[in-house]
Amino acid sequence: MKAVITVTGKDAMGIIAKVSAECADKGANIVEITQSVLSEYFAMIMIADIDSLKIPFSDFVDSLDEIGKSAGLVINTMHEDIFSTMHHV
Amino acid sequence: MLNVSDILETINMIREENLDIRTITMGISLLDCVSDDENVLCDRIYDKITKSAENLVSVGCDIEKQYGVPIVNKRVSVTPVSLVGGRISSDGYVKVAKALQRAAETLGINFIGGFSALVHKGMTPADRNLINAIPQALCETELVCSSVNVASTKAGINMDAISVMGDVIKETAYITRDRGSIGCAKLVVFANAAEDNPFMAGAFHGVGEPDRVINVGVSGPGVVSSAIARAGDCDLSELADIIKKTAFKITRVGQLVAHEAASRLNTPFGIIDLSLAPTPAVGDSVAHILENMGLEICGTHGTTAALAMLNDAVKKGGVMASSHVGGLSGAFIPVSEDAGMINAVQQGALSIEKLEAMTAVCSVGLDMIAIPGDTSKDVICGIIADEISIGVANTKTTAVRVIPAYGKTVGDDVNFGGLLGHAPVIALRDASPAKFIARGGRIPAPIHSLKN
């Protein structure tokens, strides 16, 4: 199972480091990252394998949300199924 | 394989365009709660509901987190209570309503539906006692919703029942007058009521349903509205395609959530209700969809055509996205719950006659409409009879949920709070249908009901 983590907000030092450290700490293995900086805005999409997650997925969502709030970013963490269900028949 | 634009589109739908799952509703049969002692009946009902749905809210919240999509309401619908009441009195039915309220509070759900009676062909003493108890039951509870089915295409229209409901609505408005006559916002009069409808206030658990079932209502007027706005000046065939594709995506989310909820609650999946259900929030309005389609304001000439096309396209898009479609499945036009409808009434562009015409091409009926508090019982019965006959003649569900707001007159505003919103009091015709209503009896079923 995979999670899709999107991070958007004003560019700042160490955004990728913060999110990836949290993923490693909670047992989510990042398998893909795409990111871009447009003007001063930062947008990143991560795909993480969550089969070995050490905490319930909903707690993982909350922990990333907390990091986002403390860094002035918007972090959405969602199970991949919502994307594949919506866009693939 | 996921791609960036798909991911961003989904997130945009949820964060910016108010895509949500409007409700996960667990249907629970009360048929095994029957007792000839009203206290035992109430205890059994409370126990059955709280045990069956004990994880409904927590599972709903978990799924919300997992997929990142808001699940706005978690609700319960039960077997029409008149079917399990047996010989209890009207006071006994009020006790049952309070038991339903206690169960809803224990579960943490925001509405429980099924304080209902099915009287399309006639009333049993139990039906009559329940209906007489409706005003008091809605006054003394907050979360209990009531509905009465007074007609069907097969049975015709029970005008005696409509006459009784006119009195019930007046009485309910009066005894909840200190709260904007809010009791009437929880009371629906139906034709061809759906047995698997997950939406309130008209949800109940039909007798042909299993012991427990999960029904899910999707929503997303904002998503459809934005897609239409982005489409620019395309013709109506292209617009219908855009609506279909959007409805497909919305419904797929509903299907995913419904399956997950059914599986986690170990309950059979029933249906997805493909409805565009507005909320008072900005950007979540069905009227604004119609205006984005090209109407200067909702209610003007062309509104019925635009709504008919919207309703049809939503169904066509949604039906392939779900394994079972049911409930009401269509665009809702509740006035008080839709910022665009409220504005259209305030501007004088949307009249009750136009709303009635619109209900012929969409679900569900004259919904959440505030009418003057001094409206006579006969006029209310006339409104119900008109609306119900549209449903009977067109073999579709129609309903009336009007609020004769006590002490208010045309142009005043009535505030119900929360999802129920607020509504400007709408103008009605003055002339009386009293003699017609007083005739009573049954309007026979239409000829096209004879299909066998």
Side-chain angles (χ1 to χ4, degrees), chain B residues 241-270:
Chain B
D241 270 345
I242 289 165
I243 297 168
K244 277 195 292 189
K245 285 175 189 162
T246 310
F248 176 84
K249 290 175 183 174
I250 294 171
T251 310
R252 290 286 281 176
V253 178
Q255 177 77 17
L256 176 69
V257 167
H259 263 283
E260 189 70 24
S263 151
R264 290 196 194 192
L265 292 164
N266 195 25
T267 301
F269 160 62

Side-chain angles (χ1 to χ4, degrees), chain B residues 49 100 146 220 231 296 373:
Chain B
I49 295 170
L100 294 174
S146 177
E296 187 180 336

Side-chain angles (χ1 to χ4, degrees), chain B residues 173-386:
Chain B
Y174 180 74
I175 65 172
T176 57
R177 62 190 180 281
D178 56 335
R179 286 163 282 160
S181 298
I182 197 169
C184 296
K186 299 177 287 177
L187 173 59
V188 187
V189 183
F190 270 120
N192 293 321
E195 300 204 333
D196 50 8
N197 161 30
F199 287 103
M200 297 295 172
F204 64 87
H205 184 72
V207 287
E209 299 282 316
D211 192 49
R212 295 190 309 161
V213 71
I214 287 291
N215 298 321
V216 167
V218 299
S219 188
V223 182
V224 175
S225 194
S226 300
I228 291 172
R230 279 194 298 272
D233 293 330
C234 64
D235 78 9
L236 292 172
S237 301
E238 288 174 59
L239 206 56
D241 270 345
I242 289 165
I243 297 168
K244 277 195 292 189
K245 285 175 189 162
T246 310
F248 176 84
K249 290 175 183 174
I250 294 171
T251 310
R252 290 286 281 176
V253 178
Q255 177 77 17
L256 176 69
V257 167
H259 263 283
E260 189 70 24
S263 151
R264 290 196 194 192
L265 292 164
N266 195 25
T267 301
F269 160 62
I271 55 97
I272 299 283
D273 189 318
L274 310 172
S275 288
L276 290 179
T279 68
V282 174
D284 211 17
S285 156
V286 170
H288 288 157
I289 298 179
L290 304 176
E291 289 165 7
N292 272 345
M293 287 169 80
L295 303 173
E296 187 180 336
I297 188 165
C298 177
T300 191
H301 303 290
T303 301
T304 312
L307 183 59
M309 185 188 121
L310 170 68
N311 201 48
D312 182 66
V314 166
K315 285 183 206 170
K316 285 174 177 163
V319 78
M320 189 183 152
S322 172
S323 49
H324 296 284
V325 174
L328 301 170
S329 286
F332 291 169
I333 50 170
V335 173
S336 76
E337 300 171 10
D338 186 311
M341 297 283 175
I342 294 169
N343 177 54
V345 173
Q346 283 168 339
Q347 302 294 319
L350 183 58
S351 65
I352 194 154
E353 290 83 2
K354 192 62 180 177
L355 281 161
E356 188 182 302
M358 290 160 74
T359 65
V361 299
C362 78
S363 72
V364 81
L366 294 173
D367 197 14
M368 290 304 288
I369 299 172
I371 58 176
D374 61 359
T375 307
S376 72
K377 166 246 170 111
D378 294 314
V379 167
I380 294 174
C381 293
I383 293 170
I384 296 172
D386 282 347

